[in-house]
Amino acid sequence: MSEQHNIRKINVCGIGPGNRELIVPEVFRLVAESRLVVGGSRHLEIFNVSDKETWVLRNNIEQIIETLKTAEHTAITVLVSGDTGFHSLLTTLLRHFKPTELNVIPGISSYQYFFAKLAMTYHDAWIGSLHGMTVDYVTKVKSNRKTFLLTDSLNSWKQIATHLSETGWGECEMYVGNRLSYPDEQILFGTANELKEQQHDFGLCSVIIINKDFISNE
């Protein structure tokens, strides 16, 4: 028997790259109507949730899933970074809930924002993430004119630039986006050979790599 008989829908809402002005209005409406809101501390600060039950996402996903299954509230919203369809918590939620139990509202992804910021299209790009994953991104760079990567602490923008340089792809152009959409956002540009020599105190970043020598077979 389903444990969610008292829950009509769980709203899963993407909140974009971080700037509240880039969140679609529907998300604000759903949060306002919800009695339980789940999200990272940075996510929750964007909204007025003082009159709601809130859960802060940390390393407590199993506890939160159980709360979502057993909560008596019929109006629940889960906030996720970026877009719901790009390496988000939606993947985990779908292991515990049926698609019909979720009301998914997309947000602007980091790659959508970054490509738009540079006035570039991304239909011809390979888009991936290095967050806790092993990806042969050099092969992706070889096989695509544009490659987008989300970095992590082990695969930083500098490590990517160094690895491209060491594997013969140092002339590829790189854009590095730090704190995209925030007032203090920074975007670096240069070849991998140039950027590997630079020092910047960046955290997790978005990276776009341009292989100018790529020739499409289409």
Side-chain angles (χ1 to χ4, degrees):
M1 180 179 295
S2 171
E3 295 181 70
Q4 294 84 247
H5 63 278
N6 59 336
I7 299 177
R8 289 194 295 270
K9 288 279 187 180
I10 297 174
N11 304 308
V12 185
C13 298
I15 64 165
N19 186 327
R20 64 176 285 124
E21 299 301 320
L22 299 177
I23 302 174
V24 298
E26 178 74 354
V27 174
F28 287 96
R29 184 185 69 79
L30 291 172
V31 170
E33 294 177 352
S34 294
R35 302 309 305 158
L36 169 62
V37 182
V38 177
S41 56
R42 176 177 65 85
H43 305 161
L44 296 172
E45 290 172 358
I46 295 173
F47 302 89
N48 180 10
V49 293
S50 58
D51 62 338
K52 307 178 189 306
E53 179 183 355
T54 58
W55 276 77
V56 179
L57 276 168
R58 297 190 181 95
N59 294 320
N60 56 349
I61 187 60
E62 292 182 1
Q63 189 176 9
I64 284 176
I65 292 295
E66 187 60 27
T67 298
L68 294 175
K69 287 182 176 181
T70 59
E72 296 181 358
H73 302 300
T74 57
I76 299 173
T77 294
V78 178
L79 303 170
V80 302
S81 297
D83 177 45
T84 51
F86 184 60
H87 297 281
S88 84
L89 188 62
L90 179 60
T91 301
T92 299
L93 292 174
L94 285 170
R95 290 198 286 266
H96 298 273
F97 300 94
K98 299 175 183 177
T100 53
E101 296 174 301
L102 305 176
N103 175 39
V104 181
I105 307 298
I108 296 174
S109 68
S110 53
Y111 71 84
Q112 286 175 309
Y113 178 89
F114 201 8
F115 276 106
K117 184 76 176 182
L118 301 174
M120 288 187 189
T121 60
Y122 50 85
H123 63 271
D124 53 347
W126 186 86
I127 295 171
S129 174
L130 300 177
H131 277 274
M133 302 179 184
T134 300
V135 176
D136 182 6
Y137 57 82
V138 173
T139 295
K140 302 302 183 184
V141 170
K142 292 178 183 178
S143 306
N144 297 274
R145 183 167 180 80
K146 305 169 190 172
T147 300
F148 173 90
L149 298 170
L150 286 177
T151 69
D152 66 8
S153 57
L154 296 177
N155 297 281
S156 67
W157 63 272
K158 188 175 177 67
Q159 192 277 338
I160 292 170
T162 300
H163 188 50
L164 287 173
S165 181
E166 291 173 346
T167 52
W169 293 89
E171 290 305 311
C172 286
E173 295 177 343
M174 287 182 60
Y175 295 86
V176 179
N178 180 58
R179 290 186 57 79
L180 292 174
S181 85
Y182 288 96
D184 59 344
E185 83 170 15
Q186 294 172 278
I187 296 177
L188 304 180
F189 171 73
T191 66
N193 287 334
E194 293 168 342
L195 291 185
K196 71 181 177 67
E197 304 297 335
Q198 297 188 21
Q199 299 290 337
H200 298 279
D201 187 21
F202 290 171
L204 303 183
C205 294
S206 297
V207 173
I208 294 173
I209 304 165
I210 308 296
N211 176 3
K212 295 181 293 182
D213 296 327
F214 175 72
I215 300 176
S216 176
N217 292 324
E218 295 181 0

